[in-house]
Each structure stands twice: as structure tokens, then as C-alpha cells.
């Protein structure tokens, strides 16, 4: 049986990998709903109201699943990672507290107004509630990435008797990698949501349903992607340069670069052999790696042999996950350009093959987010606090493998059940579609649902 450390890492990876799918969707969706509510408030066009009502139900369901799946993650800090919790509590603890106080309470408080208050509060207050929910999701992203960025590029502290003690909170929050990590991740969440919205619209267009709503969704989605996808490529490049400066071993692993050298090629494919410290079956473009990472074909890029074996991250996982993320990004760019061309030609409604492609690529944002997360987290190894605290030193000393294996089994089963049920209800909501444009809004106040979930899952 694997040891307790490996099982604990697998358990945390499973929990967070499944959970991150929800903020990847809800962070962008909350802002989309706020835009829809604002557009309806200022223009009075009913199509924006119908869109907001539709996506609000999906948001509420996703938000509930996010709370259930996310609330167990901090438990693991106590059960599996007590050494990490003990040594970093003075830094990580306040950051997590700020996330709950400024983000979760904001989201949870105003979500009730957003779900049940349309007929009970003035329209402006309802719009304000939508904005506050969106702000809450962004604040949550801010604090979580502040904590993660400190673990990646730790500054602003001193180490006293092995414990990390804060010295400068501004430096702790705004670490060297934080601006790039926050921008890159938030934009990835917005792009993910946009592709889901476009995919759902394509589902209706192919069936000739909800044409006005679907065309509005696709035009808003492609308009946003036309800005964000090229911008994300630029931010990704800047993020890579920042990682090369502060986490060069991670970049060496991502590029499977063993020797420090100039004119480093960009490897399109290789099979890293860590035991032999070389790659097999290399296919690359000469000097392009140096040009991308150093903006100069003669730039010298450090190789993995500059570090001791015990200080190197695994190579194969970040190498392939990074290329998967980049490949997905290229597909997204092609689809975005195709969508803009179809829009300009007025062909969105009848381009059936293109709409089929939009349905196929709808989940790609989630793939890119997971691939990017694997790249950055595996590339950080063997450190949990980069360069200062090794992952094997952070695990709970008293753990035994059988206990962790049992809890891992429970988490896997529980998450499959929770997410399976959630996906089932989401599919029902999408199948039910929108309220018809000809169907009048109810005049009387909507009765309060018996349970919050019934308000979210009521199809019409």
C-alpha cells in the first residue's frame, strides 16, 4: 500500500481538483448574471431578465455544491497536514479568515436576495444584490490565490523556531507571483464560463429553441472571448516569465530542460526520462524556447541538472499538463475566431456544424483550468512552501496509510454522488430551458419555496 504521505497528496488532489470545477464556473457566472441584471435594469429588455433567471438557477445549484465540496478541504489541514497548519498558521490562517469574512458571507447573504427577492425588493436593490454576489466571488478568488501565491513565492515573514511569523502583510498578500496568478486564474474562470454559455446556446440553436436568448448569449460570449482569449495568452506569457524568475526549477520541469543552455528549443513532444536525466523522442523547434522565455533566441535558460535530485519537481506531469493547457488554449482561440466570423456574416443561427463544435468545446475551459492547476502545483514540488518547507515535512506525523486510504475512499464516493446529483439537476434545468417570451411575468409575489434548493431547481 502507498504510504500516508502519497495517499494524503492524492486525497487533497482529488478534493481540490473536483472542487475547483465549481469556482471555475461560478466566478464568471456571477459576473455574467450581474451584467444581465444591470442590462435589464437599464434597458428593460425582457430577454436579459429571462437569461438572468435561467442562469441564476444554475448558479445557485453550483454554489451549493461548491459549499459542500469546499468545506471539507480545510478539515484536511487538521487531519492530514497538521505540521503545515501548525507552522504556517500565523500566515495562512488570517488569509483564510479574510476569505470567509469578506467573500463567503457576502455571497451567501446577497444570494438569498438574488434568488427570492425579485418581487420583494426594488429592482435597483436586486441589481445591487447581483453585483455584491459577483464581488463576493471575486474576493474569494483574491484571498485564496493570495494564500496560494504566498506558498509559491513566500515573502513578508520571518521564521522563528521553525514557524512562519508575519512581518509585512502587504508583502504577504502581494507576493511577486500574486498579480500574475490572480489575473491568469480569474481570466481562465471567465473564459470557462463563456464557453459553457456558448455551448448551452448552441444546444438550443441546434434544436431551434430559444433563438433570441441563444443568439444573445453567443454574441455576449464571443464578444467577451474576443478580448479575453488573446489577453490570456499575453498574461500567460508574463506569468511564465515571472515563474522563470522566482521558480526556475518549475519552468525547467515544464520545459523538460535538463541542461542550462542558450538557444533552448521549444519541445512539442518528448518523453522525459528522469532516471537517465534526458528526454526520449524529442520533437522541438530550435531556439524557440529561449525566445519565448527570455524574449531572445540567445537567452540562457536554466536546466534541471542545476538542482540536486531531491530538490527537483517531477518532470513528466507538468510537462504534459502544460502542453495540454496550451493546446486547449489554441483550440479556444480558433473557435473564438470562427465564432466572430460567423457572427459577422449573420450565420450563427443556421451554422449547425459550427454549433455542434461549440457544444463539443463547452467543457474545454474546465480541462484548461485543471491542466494549469496541475502544472503549477506539481511544478512546485517537493515544496509546500517553496524553498522553505518540504511537502513530506508538512504531513501529520501520526498518520497511518490505512486511515488515509479509508478517508480517500469516502471522499471519492461522496464526491461522485454529490457531483453526479448536481450534474443531473443541471441537465434538467438546461433541458427545461427558458420561460417563453410570450409567457407573462407573474403579478403576484412568488411563494417562498419550502427549501432553498427547491427555489434553485424549480425549472420554470
Amino acid at each position: 500500500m502507498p504510504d500516508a504521505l502519497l495517499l494524503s497528496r492524492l486525497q487533497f488532489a482529488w478534493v481540490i481538483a473536483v472542487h475547483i470545477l465549481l469556482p471555475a464556473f461560478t466566478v464568471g457566472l456571477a459576473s455574467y448574471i450581474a451584467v444581465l441584471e444591470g442590462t435589464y435594469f437599464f434597458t428593460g429588455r425582457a430577454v436579459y431578465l429571462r437569461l438572468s433567471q435561467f442562469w441564476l438557477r444554475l448558479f445557485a445549484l453550483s454554489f451549493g455544491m461548491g459549499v459542500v465540496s469546499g468545506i471539507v478541504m480545510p478539515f484536511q489541514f487538521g487531519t492530514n497536514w497538521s505540521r503545515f497548519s501548525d507552522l504556517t498558521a500565523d500566515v495562512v490562517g488570517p488569509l483564510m479568515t479574510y476569505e470567509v469574512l469578506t467573500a463567503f458571507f457576502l455571497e451567501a447573504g446577497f444570494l438569498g436576495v438574488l434568488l427570492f427577492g425579485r418581487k420583494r425588493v426594488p429592482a435597483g436593490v436586486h441589481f445591487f444584490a447581483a453585483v455584491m454576489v459577483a464581488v463576493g466571488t471575486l474576493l474569494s478568488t483574491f484571498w485564496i490565490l493570495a494564500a496560494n501565491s504566498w506558498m509559491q513565492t513566500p515573502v513578508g515573514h520571518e521564521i522563528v523556531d521553525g514557524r512562519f511569523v508575519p512581518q509585512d502583510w502587504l508583502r504577504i498578500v502581494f507576493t511577486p507571483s500574486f498579480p500574475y496568478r490572480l489575473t491568469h486564474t480569474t481570466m481562465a474562470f471567465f473564459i470557462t464560463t463563456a464557453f459553457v454559455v456558448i455551448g448551452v446556446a448552441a444546444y438550443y440553436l441546434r434544436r431551434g429553441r430559444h433563438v433570441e436568448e441563444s443568439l444573445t448569449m453567443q454574441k455576449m460570449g464571443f464578444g467577451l472571448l474576443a478580448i479575453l482569449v488573446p489577453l490570456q495568452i499575453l498574461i500567460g506569457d508574463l506569468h511564465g516569465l515571472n515563474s522563470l524568475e522566482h521558480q526556475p526549477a518549475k519552468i525547467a520541469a515544464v520545459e523538460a530542460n535538463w541542461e542550462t543552455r542558450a538557444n533552448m528549443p521549444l519541445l512539442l513532444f518528448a518523453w522525459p526520462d528522469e532516471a537517465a536525466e534526458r528526454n526520449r523522442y524529442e520533437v522541438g523547434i530550435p531556439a524557440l524556447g529561449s525566445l519565448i522565455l527570455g524574449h531572445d533566441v540567445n537567452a540562457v535558460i536554466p536546466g534541471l541538472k542545476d538542482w540536486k535530485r531531491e530538490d527537483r519537481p517531477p518532470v513528466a506531469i507538468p510537462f504534459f499538463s502544460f502542453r495540454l493547457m496550451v493546446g486547449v488554449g489554441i483550440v479556444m482561440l480558433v473557435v473564438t475566431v470562427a465564432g466572430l466570423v460567423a457572427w459577422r456574416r449573420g450565420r450563427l443561427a443556421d451554422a449547425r456544424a459550427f454549433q455542434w463544435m461549440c457544444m463539443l468545446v463547452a467543457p474545454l475551459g474546465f480541462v484548461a483550468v485543471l491542466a494549469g492547476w496541475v502544472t503549477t502545483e506539481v511544478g512546485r514540488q517537493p515544496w509546500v512552501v517553496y524553498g522553505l518547507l518540504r511537502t513530506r515535512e508538512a504531513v501529520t506525523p501520526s498518520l497511518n496509510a490505512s486511515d488515509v486510504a479509508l478517508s480517500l475512499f469516502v471522499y471519492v464516493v461522496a464526491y461522485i454522488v454529490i457531483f453526479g446529483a448536481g450534474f443531473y439537476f443541471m441537465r434538467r434545468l438546461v433541458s427545461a430551458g427558458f420561460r417563453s417570451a410570450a409567457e407573462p411575468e407573474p403579478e403576484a409575489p412568488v411563494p417562498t419555496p419550502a427549501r432553498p434548493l427547491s427555489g434553485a431547481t424549480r425549472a420554470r
Side-chain angles (χ1 to χ4, degrees), residues 346-405:
R347 298 293 308 278
L348 283 175
D350 55 3
R352 292 183 62 81
F354 174 72
Q355 297 300 349
W356 178 249
M357 181 178 66
C358 288
M359 291 175 60
L360 288 179
V361 301
L364 282 187
F366 298 105
V367 176
V369 167
L370 282 176
W373 173 76
V374 168
T375 301
T376 195
E377 296 305 320
V378 176
R380 176 177 47 163
Q381 297 302 317
W383 309 99
V384 65
V385 179
Y386 196 76
L388 299 173
L389 179 64
R390 292 180 185 274
T391 305
R392 68 168 180 265
E393 298 169 341
V395 73
T396 301
S398 59
L399 273 184
N400 65 68
S402 57
D403 289 345
V404 186

Side-chain angles (χ1 to χ4, degrees), residues 38-260:
T39 309
Y40 172 64
F41 179 74
F42 289 109
T43 68
R45 288 189 59 191
V47 64
Y48 296 110
L49 173 63
R50 295 193 297 275
L51 287 172
S52 179
Q53 290 173 322
F54 173 79
W55 286 108
L56 183 55
R57 289 192 290 268
L58 287 161
F59 175 82
L61 188 57
S62 304
F63 182 81
M65 292 165 59
V67 172
V68 172
S69 61
I71 204 168
V72 301
M73 284 196 300
F75 293 161
Q76 294 176 85
F77 291 144
T79 56
N80 298 55
W81 305 100
S82 63
R83 289 288 295 157
F84 168 78
S85 301
D86 180 38
L87 298 176
T88 66
D90 293 333
V91 174
V92 177
L95 296 177
M96 295 293 99
T97 304
Y98 299 151
E99 194 264 342
V100 173
L101 292 178
T102 64
F104 182 72
F105 285 170
L106 200 63
E107 295 172 73
F110 282 98
L111 181 59
V113 179
L114 197 56
L115 277 175
F116 308 118
R118 189 176 299 278
K119 296 296 182 180
R120 295 178 172 82
V121 299
V125 174
H126 197 263
F127 169 44
F128 179 75
V131 173
M132 288 299 99
V133 171
V135 170
T137 61
L138 293 172
L139 282 174
S140 179
T141 307
F142 178 94
W143 290 116
I144 294 296
L145 288 174
N148 181 267
S149 297
W150 178 80
M151 293 164 65
Q152 299 272 355
T153 50
V155 292
H157 65 274
E158 65 175 354
I159 299 177
V160 180
D161 297 329
R163 301 174 62 85
F164 294 84
V165 178
Q167 292 295 307
D168 185 337
W169 276 106
L170 281 178
R171 293 188 67 205
I172 288 174
V173 173
F174 297 98
T175 56
S177 66
F178 175 67
Y180 304 96
R181 202 176 305 281
L182 176 67
T183 309
H184 195 53
T185 304
T186 305
M187 290 180 64
F189 289 175
F190 275 69
I191 291 171
T192 299
T193 304
F195 269 94
V196 172
V197 169
I198 286 169
V200 171
Y203 168 81
Y204 293 131
L205 286 173
R206 281 185 54 81
R207 287 160 177 76
R209 298 174 61 194
H210 310 308
V211 174
E212 181 186 11
E213 292 87 349
S214 299
L215 289 177
T216 302
M217 285 194 293
Q218 289 209 336
K219 290 175 181 177
M220 294 179 76
F222 282 120
L224 181 69
L225 291 174
I227 300 170
L228 291 192
V229 172
L231 198 56
Q232 181 73 320
I233 295 173
L234 173 63
I235 296 297
D237 178 60
L238 296 175
H239 191 15
L241 295 177
N242 179 265
S243 298
L244 179 63
E245 179 180 356
H246 297 281
Q247 296 178 297
K250 175 189 289 188
I251 294 298
V254 165
E255 299 300 334
N257 183 31
W258 297 96
E259 306 285 350
T260 296

